[in-house]
């Protein structure tokens, strides 16, 4: 037995929408637990991913992107992200290697100034740019905030991610084991299943449709003899026209969404899945406090 103390702590991943926060969490865990897409504002909730390394437990927190929110739903998302900066042991501020710091990055830096936790600047997507650009980013950021570390990574290729995790581990305080070591996330499987369906809507539809979509799992039943999980889920949109798009010609789009989601849910649960999808309209739900609550955005 070594007498090095066990370390543990909570680490928030924050940044603008689409910078790769969720991709980074999945990469660190080596499993897909949070959804991603090439559209901004994909993540809507705070989701913890638990990463165990020798001598330490790191609880990473994926958050929605910080942006100028207009709708009630978006204001909720930004509030979730901003509140995730408080009461954590470390903040990872993610930016994109191919973007110069602008006003919106500066606004996040201003918020960080109120944080008592150390902050790492994580420069993501280094695979999309030349090394010179990364050096320029480092130079542009390093005088704006006393970042504890500046770490270039690619969440997509994994470049630099092991080093990032090692640096994170080193700053964590001595602490307890917060979660059993076979637990990957704090959210239930039925939530992840609903998110996977929502991801398929994000990836297969466009314009306002992804943003007008919410998904809930209504029932999640394991058949007595095992070997099959039966899931019924409802996709809520804001207008009849959006319902038409989600269903598609002769139900073709709903079928695509369903089969893409089913394959992934089967992988998640490691069993065959029977997935049934329903679509309903709740006019302007993203502005409606009661509906937001019903859909889990509280
Ligand atoms: N080339 C490249 N693309 C990346 C990298 N990391 C993420 N992406 C892509 O960037 C897009 C956004 O990734 P997400 O992980 O959904 O970004 P996010 O920050 O969680 O976005 P929100 O949840 O909307 O705030 C996706 O298309 C990813 O595949 C990277 O290191 N390199
Ligand atoms: Mg995300």
């Amino acid at each position: 037995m070594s007498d090095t103390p066990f370390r543990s702590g909570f680490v928030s991943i924050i940044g603008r929408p689409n910078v790769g926060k969720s991709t980074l969490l999945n990469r660190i865990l080596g499993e897909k637990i949070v959804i991603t897409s090439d559209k901004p504002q994909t993540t809507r909730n705070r989701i913890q991913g638990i990463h165990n390394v020798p001598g330490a437990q790191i609880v990473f927190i994926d958050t929605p992107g910080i942006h100028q929110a207009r709708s009630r739903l978006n204001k909720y998302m930004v509030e979730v992200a901003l509140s995730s900066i408080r009461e954590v042991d470390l903040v990872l501020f993610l930016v994109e290697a191919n973007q110069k710091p602008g006003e919106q990055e500066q606004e996040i830096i201003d918020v960080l100034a109120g944080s008592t936790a150390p902050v790492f600047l994580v420069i993501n997507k280094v695979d999309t740019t030349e090394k010179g650009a990364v050096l320029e980013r480092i130079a542009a950021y390093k005088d704006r905030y006393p970042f504890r570390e500046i770490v270039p990574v690619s969440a997509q290729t994994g470049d630099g991610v092991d080093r990032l995790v090692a640096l994170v581990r080193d700053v964590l305080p001595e602490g307890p084991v917060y979660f059993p070591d076979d637990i990957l996330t704090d959210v239930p499987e039925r939530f992840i299943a609903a998110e996977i369906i929502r991801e398929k809507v994000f990836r297969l539809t466009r314009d306002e449709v992804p943003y007008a979509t919410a998904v809930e799992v209504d029932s999640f039943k394991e058949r007595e003899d095992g070997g099959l999980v039966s899931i019924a889920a409802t996709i809520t949109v804001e207008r009849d026209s959006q319902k038409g798009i989600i269903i598609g010609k002769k139900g073709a789009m709903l079928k695509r969404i369903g089969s893409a989601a089913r394959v992934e849910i089967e992988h998640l649960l490691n069993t065959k899945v029977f997935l049934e999808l329903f679509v309903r309209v709740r006019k302007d739900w993203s502005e409606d406090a009661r509906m937001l609550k019903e859909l889990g955005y509280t």
Side-chain angles (χ1 to χ4, degrees):
M1 282 284 283
S2 97
D3 46 9
T4 358
F6 191 82
R7 292 168 185 269
S8 62
F10 292 80
V11 180
S12 259
I13 308 173
I14 65 141
R16 285 177 58 181
N18 216 41
V19 294
K21 300 177 293 298
S22 302
T23 306
L24 178 65
L25 178 60
N26 288 336
R27 166 64 64 181
I28 290 170
L29 298 180
E31 287 281 345
K32 178 169 166 178
I33 62 155
V34 288
I35 65 168
T36 65
S37 87
D38 61 2
K39 298 182 181 70
Q41 299 157 28
T42 304
T43 303
R44 292 179 183 163
N45 302 84
R46 161 197 163 106
I47 297 160
Q48 297 185 343
I50 299 126
H51 187 55
N52 296 297
V53 294
Q57 182 171 72
I58 315 172
V59 184
F60 287 97
I61 305 168
D62 186 22
T63 66
I66 298 170
H67 62 283
Q68 294 294 343
R70 280 192 295 263
S71 75
R72 207 183 262 261
L73 169 65
N74 285 59
K75 286 187 178 133
Y76 163 79
M77 287 158 55
V78 173
E79 183 46 41
V80 168
L82 293 177
S83 68
S84 305
I85 297 172
R86 298 191 282 270
E87 288 172 30
V88 290
D89 299 287
L90 175 68
V91 174
L92 303 184
F93 172 35
L94 223 68
V95 298
E96 281 193 35
N98 50 22
Q99 271 175 17
K100 291 185 178 161
E103 228 169 83
Q104 293 175 51
E105 283 78 9
Q106 187 57 47
E107 278 170 17
I108 298 177
I109 290 171
D110 294 342
V111 173
L112 288 174
S115 148
T116 48
V119 181
F120 287 6
L121 178 73
V122 179
I123 303 178
N124 188 32
K125 307 196 186 181
V126 294
D127 58 292
T128 62
T129 182
E130 299 295 311
K131 194 162 182 211
V134 178
L135 295 175
E136 258 176 55
R137 295 298 103 82
I138 294 174
Y141 274 106
K142 76 174 178 9
D143 297 328
R144 295 184 179 217
Y145 193 83
F147 295 109
R148 179 73 66 91
E149 299 281 352
I150 297 184
V151 196
V153 302
S154 168
Q156 184 149 298
T157 67
D159 196 14
V161 173
D162 286 346
R163 177 169 171 263
L164 170 64
V165 172
L167 291 167
V168 168
R169 185 199 173 282
D170 287 347
V171 303
L172 291 187
E174 195 174 327
V177 180
Y178 289 106
F179 294 92
D181 67 5
D182 57 347
I183 285 192
L184 212 54
T185 178
D186 64 328
V187 293
E189 282 170 342
R190 59 190 288 157
F191 173 84
I192 303 179
E195 285 285 272
I196 290 172
I197 299 163
R198 195 167 65 80
E199 180 191 80
K200 300 315 163 202
V201 175
F202 256 76
R203 292 186 177 200
L204 293 170
T205 69
R206 53 202 178 83
D207 302 327
E208 89 289 3
V209 179
Y211 302 103
T213 297
V215 179
E216 288 164 289
V217 165
D218 308 314
S219 72
F220 189 105
K221 284 187 227 121
E222 215 163 320
R223 214 166 59 182
E224 297 274 316
D225 59 1
L228 184 85
V229 172
S230 197
I231 299 173
T234 298
I235 300 175
T236 302
V237 290
E238 300 199 302
R239 304 187 187 290
D240 288 328
S241 58
Q242 294 157 352
K243 181 175 171 178
I245 291 167
I246 296 276
I247 293 173
K249 261 196 198 119
K250 294 187 183 157
M253 180 54 93
L254 195 60
K255 210 176 230 172
R256 278 180 76 195
I257 293 167
S259 45
R262 181 181 48 76
V263 169
E264 244 178 65
I265 298 170
E266 286 181 339
H267 178 80
L268 170 80
L269 303 177
N270 200 15
T271 177
K272 283 265 168 239
V273 166
F274 175 70
L275 178 62
E276 209 178 359
L277 295 179
F278 302 91
V279 188
R280 67 169 183 177
V281 177
R282 286 291 177 275
K283 201 167 174 295
D284 297 328
W285 66 260
S286 68
E287 294 291 355
D288 182 338
R290 227 193 62 226
M291 277 306 299
L292 286 176
K293 197 168 169 190
E294 189 186 316
L295 293 164
Y297 301 118
T298 37

